[in-house]
Amino acid sequence: MKYSGIGASAGIAIYPVYKLIEVDLTIEQQSITDVKNEVARLENAIKTTSKELQTIREQTAISMDEEHAMIFDAHIQIAQDPEIMRQVQEKIEEEHVNAEYAYDHVCQMFIAMFEGMDNEYFQERALDVKDVRRRVIAHLLDVPLNDPSLINEKVIVVAHDLTPSDTAQLNKTYVKGFITNIGGRTSHSAIMARSLEIPAIVGTKHITDEVNDGDLVILDGLTGTVIIRPTDVEIEEYRAKQEHYEKQVAIWSKFVNKPSVSKDGKHVEIAANIGSPDDLDAVKKYGAEGVGLYRTEFLYMNNDNFPTEMEQYKAYKAVLEALPNKKVIIRTLDIGGDKHLDYLPMDAELNPFLGHRALRLCLERTDIFKTQLRALLRASIHGDLHIMFPMVATLNEVRQAKAVLETCKAELHAEGIACKDDVKVGIMVEIPAVAILADQFAKEVDFFSIGTNDLIQYSFAADRMNQKVSYLYQPYNPSLLRLIKMVIDASHEAGIWTGMCGEMAGDKLAAPILLGLGLDEFSMSATSILQTRYIFSELTYSEMKAMAETCLTLDSHESVQEFVEKTIKGESK
Ligand code: PEP
Ligand code: MG
C-alpha cells in the first residue's frame, strides 16, 4: 500500500515501524489539604525533569552539535523558572488545588501569552514551554513518557508529530528514518532530520492510522513515498534504489567545492530552492551558487497571522546576509492551489489551481502585497536581491505588479527608509500563455524563471495533486521542451536570462537537455545540487546541445527518456 507525504530529508530506509504513541496526560482538578506535600511533589517533578533534560542535552551535543544541544538549556531554564514556580505555588496555596492542575494552568497562560505575540522568537518559546510542561506533568502523573532514546533496534519511527526533544533523542544507530502525520519541510522536526541526515517524510496526514508496531515499511525520502507492508518485489526494487543512491552519494560528495562546469568548461549557475532561512545550512553544505527560489509562503503558513513588514524584513535580510555576493531570488506570496492560510478565508473554488491565487490575489489584496514588497525593498540593501512574481498570465498583471512595487519604493523614499532603486524584477513562467508570448514579457522584466511544476500541469491539463493523472507529469515530452526553448530563445534575444526553479531543473535526465537548450540558471533542492554538478561534468556542452536538438524532434516523453538514458550512458563510459 502506497502513501505519500512531503520528502523532508533524502534517503531510503526499509525497516519495521516503531510507533511513538502520545500518552494520556489528562489532568483533573482536585482539592487538596496538604499544601506542603503538593509543593514537594511539584519540586520533585521539576528536579527529575531538569535531570532528564540535562541528559538529553548531553546526548544531543554528541549526536548532533552544541547549537542543537542549546535548545535544552532553554528547556532547563523554563523548568526552573522562578516566576512559573512562584505562580504555581501561589495557586496551590491559595486555591488548594493539586500540583498538576496548578502547573498546567500557569503554563497554559504563558503559552497563550507567547503565542499571542507577533514575533517568531516568542512563538518558538511557546513550543518550548509546551515541551517542558508535557515532561513535568508526566512526572507528576507518574506516566512514563514515550522515550525514543530507549529504542535499541533498527526502526523507522512513526508519530503524529515529533517535538524537538523527541527528535534530538533519536539515536541514528537505531532510528533509520521517521514519518509523521503533520509538519512541512520547514517544521522543526524536518529541519532536525536534515541535520541528522536520516531520511524523513512529514505531512502524511494519517500514517499513524495505517501502520502497526512492527509493520515493515519503505521510506523514500527522495520522493516522499511510503510503502506499507511492501511485497518482495517492492523490497527488492527499493533495495536496489537504496544501494544505487548510496553509491551515488559517495561520488557526488566529491563535487562540493567544485565549480558547476561541463566536461569542456562551460560554466552554469546552480542555485538552491529554499522555504525559510533555516534551509541556509543545506545551501552552504552543498555549495549552492545562490538562491534561485525562496518560497516565501512558508513564512505566512507557519504563522497565526500575516507576518509583519519587520518580521518579513528580518527573514529576507537573514538570507541575503548569509549569501554575500550571491544572487538571491525571492518570490512574492504564492498562496492558493494546495497552499492555504488558516487566517485568510478563501471562497471554495471548483478548480483551486486555476483560481484566485498567487499574484492574482496579491493584486486584489494590495495591503498584503505592499507589506511584502516594502519588506523586500528594505532588505534589498543587504545583498543581491531579485524579486520574482509567481503565476503571471498577462502583461497587464506584470505591469500592475511593477506599479505597486514603484509605489512602495516611493513611499519608502518619502519615509526616509533606505532601499535599492535598481532591484532586479523577474517573473515565473508557469502558464503556457506566458511561454508563448515570452518575447513580449522579456521587454518588461530582467529575468525569467520557469516553474515546471505548474507549467507541466497547465500544459498537460493534469492536476499536480491527482495521483490518477500523475502519468501526465511529462518533463521530457518534446512539446514541453519546445515551449521551454521558446522561452529561453526569447529571453536571449531580448538580452535577459532564463532560469528554472521547478523540480525538472534537478532531474538527472532533464538537466543536460536544459543546459543544451541554453538554460542559464538551475535552481533545485539543495540535496540535488551535487548530483547535477556531477552530471554536467560528465558531458561536453556540444554533446548536450546535440542531445537537446534531437530531443526536440522526437515524438514522446518516453522516446526522449530512452534516448537521453542511452546517450548519457554512452558518454560516461
Ligand atoms: C513551479 O510551479 O514549478 C514552482 C517552482 O512553484 P511551486 O512548486 O511553488 O508552485
Ligand atoms: Mg508554481
Side-chain angles (χ1 to χ4, degrees):
M1 176 177 163
K2 268 195 189 180
Y3 223 77
S4 66
I6 302 163
S9 183
I12 293 167
I14 309 172
Y15 288 101
V17 164
Y18 178 97
K19 247 171 129 174
L20 265 185
I21 301 159
E22 259 314 297
V23 290
D24 182 8
L25 294 179
T26 312
I27 298 158
E28 276 167 26
Q29 180 177 358
Q30 283 164 10
S31 297
I32 53 105
T33 45
D34 192 347
V35 168
K36 259 197 192 153
N37 180 49
E38 221 46 34
V39 174
R41 282 183 61 229
L42 175 69
E43 284 170 349
N44 264 337
I46 300 278
K47 234 186 247 166
T48 319
T49 302
S50 303
K51 254 197 222 154
E52 201 172 72
L53 285 167
Q54 188 58 36
T55 312
I56 300 176
R57 193 221 178 275
E58 282 154 21
Q59 278 171 359
T60 311
I62 297 166
S63 68
M64 296 176 100
D65 52 34
E66 196 50 31
E67 197 187 323
H68 288 94
M70 274 159 54
I71 296 175
F72 300 101
D73 288 336
H75 284 203
I76 294 169
Q77 264 180 16
I78 293 168
Q80 298 176 347
D81 186 276
E83 184 53 27
I84 296 182
M85 199 59 191
R86 188 191 63 75
Q87 290 194 28
V88 179
Q89 207 165 326
E90 204 174 275
K91 200 165 173 68
I92 296 173
E93 284 164 1
E94 285 175 6
E95 297 176 27
H96 289 250
V97 288
N98 48 332
E100 42 275 55
Y101 179 79
Y103 188 77
D104 180 50
H105 183 88
V106 173
C107 285
Q108 297 298 0
M109 259 172 32
F110 277 94
I111 293 167
M113 182 180 81
F114 287 145
E115 282 181 339
M117 290 185 188
D118 196 6
N119 174 314
E120 202 174 326
Y121 174 81
F122 286 110
Q123 304 279 347
E124 276 169 23
R125 296 296 72 76
L127 289 178
D128 290 338
V129 178
K130 277 186 194 169
D131 214 353
V132 173
R133 174 202 156 274
R134 184 169 149 265
R135 240 166 235 293
V136 174
I137 300 271
H139 286 303
L140 280 167
L141 293 174
D142 209 14
V143 174
L145 278 182
N146 256 320
D147 197 344
S149 62
L150 298 178
I151 298 172
N152 57 5
E153 274 173 301
K154 291 183 178 169
V155 292
I156 289 174
V157 166
V158 173
H160 177 67
D161 188 22
L162 287 174
T163 61
S165 60
D166 288 335
T167 317
Q169 287 179 76
L170 303 180
N171 178 343
K172 262 176 84 166
T173 317
Y174 300 117
V175 177
K176 295 299 178 190
F178 70 77
I179 312 170
T180 60
N181 285 350
I182 65 168
R185 267 193 67 76
T186 63
S187 60
H188 256 118
S189 48
I191 292 161
M192 290 174 99
R194 291 197 284 278
S195 308
L196 280 166
E197 300 204 30
I198 57 173
I201 297 177
V202 297
T204 57
K205 294 196 179 88
H206 308 293
I207 188 79
T208 48
D209 299 337
E210 305 295 338
V211 295
N212 300 312
D213 253 334
D215 276 351
L216 192 68
V217 291
I218 297 175
L219 182 175
D220 181 354
L222 300 160
T223 59
T225 308
V226 186
I227 302 179
I228 304 168
R229 298 176 285 276
T231 62
D232 289 347
V233 175
E234 284 169 326
I235 295 174
E236 211 172 299
E237 181 195 335
Y238 274 85
R239 283 221 195 285
K241 249 186 160 182
Q242 185 180 29
E243 208 175 297
H244 180 71
Y245 179 70
E246 279 158 13
K247 271 191 200 147
Q248 295 288 2
V249 169
I251 298 172
W252 303 335
S253 63
K254 297 184 185 128
F255 283 77
V256 174
N257 295 316
K258 297 223 171 119
S260 309
V261 284
S262 65
K263 200 172 175 179
D264 53 347
K266 180 177 168 59
H267 180 261
V268 59
E269 210 173 315
I270 304 187
N273 291 350
I274 63 167
S276 95
D278 292 327
D279 294 340
L280 287 169
D281 288 347
V283 172
K284 289 188 182 155
K285 178 172 173 192
Y286 294 106
E289 289 158 87
V291 165
L293 169 65
Y294 175 178
R295 289 181 163 100
T296 58
E297 47 279 6
F298 292 111
L299 190 63
Y300 291 72
M301 286 158 83
N302 293 339
N303 234 315
D304 292 336
N305 214 325
F306 286 106
T308 61
E309 183 177 314
M310 190 44 72
E311 257 177 87
Q312 295 193 50
Y313 163 73
K314 279 189 189 154
Y316 307 152
K317 176 173 173 261
V319 176
L320 287 161
E321 284 186 342
L323 300 166
N325 307 319
K326 290 191 172 159
K327 196 161 70 197
V328 173
I329 303 178
I330 304 188
R331 176 173 80 180
T332 60
L333 183 61
D334 184 4
I335 211 70
D338 58 334
K339 294 177 237 167
H340 298 281
L341 300 178
D342 292 340
Y343 51 88
L344 176 68
M346 295 202 216
D347 293 337
E349 294 179 312
L350 269 180
N351 294 299
F353 273 105
L354 304 178
H356 190 231
R357 52 172 291 206
L359 188 62
R360 302 163 184 192
L361 186 127
C362 285
L363 289 175
E364 189 199 76
R365 290 290 307 268
T366 44
D367 53 332
I368 301 171
F369 198 30
K370 277 177 77 178
T371 305
Q372 181 167 41
L373 293 176
R374 282 175 59 99
L376 284 166
L377 286 167
R378 291 177 74 164
S380 67
I381 56 170
H382 300 289
D384 186 10
L385 171 69
H386 287 47
I387 296 177
M388 178 158 75
F389 300 124
M391 280 295 292
V392 169
T394 69
L395 268 174
N396 194 25
E397 287 171 345
V398 183
R399 291 181 183 137
Q400 279 185 59
K402 281 170 60 185
V404 182
L405 185 67
E406 287 308 311
T407 310
C408 292
K409 259 187 221 169
E411 280 177 12
L412 289 172
H413 283 317
E415 291 165 33
I417 299 172
C419 74
K420 267 193 195 160
D421 268 330
D422 56 349
V423 179
K424 298 271 188 272
V425 174
I427 55 167
M428 291 199 63
V429 179
E430 41 191 352
I431 297 180
V434 176
I436 294 164
L437 205 62
D439 55 331
Q440 299 298 334
F441 282 88
K443 295 178 193 162
E444 286 287 338
V445 294
D446 299 307
F447 67 93
F448 290 148
S449 185
I450 306 177
T452 46
N453 306 341
D454 280 320
L455 185 62
I456 297 175
Q457 83 161 338
Y458 299 133
S459 298
F460 293 87
D463 186 340
R464 69 196 253 195
M465 307 294 283
N466 186 337
Q467 206 62 41
K468 285 200 171 148
V469 292
S470 60
Y471 73 96
L472 287 168
Y473 177 78
Q474 303 208 341
Y476 317 131
N477 193 302
S479 74
L480 183 84
L481 298 178
R482 289 187 197 186
L483 206 55
I484 290 171
K485 181 176 162 41
M486 277 175 69
V487 178
I488 297 172
D489 289 350
S491 74
H492 291 172
E493 263 164 47
I496 66 167
W497 58 269
T498 296
M500 180 178 287
C501 57
E503 288 305 304
M504 182 177 172
D507 180 293
K508 62 178 194 265
L509 296 185
I513 310 176
L514 294 166
L515 185 52
L517 290 175
L519 191 75
D520 303 287
E521 180 241 27
F522 293 70
S523 191
M524 56 195 68
S525 75
T527 43
S528 303
I529 290 176
L530 299 181
Q531 175 186 16
T532 311
R533 204 170 271 160
Y534 161 75
I535 290 164
F536 289 157
S537 77
E538 292 280 293
L539 297 160
T540 65
Y541 183 44
S542 44
E543 278 161 358
M544 289 186 263
K545 270 207 296 203
M547 192 166 74
E549 246 160 61
T550 306
C551 291
L552 292 169
T553 65
L554 298 177
D555 62 359
S556 68
H557 174 80
E558 290 75 17
S559 52
V560 170
Q561 181 170 359
E562 199 182 317
F563 167 69
V564 176
E565 268 167 356
K566 254 194 216 149
T567 313
I568 291 183
K569 250 191 216 148
E571 299 303 340
S572 59
K573 255 185 213 156

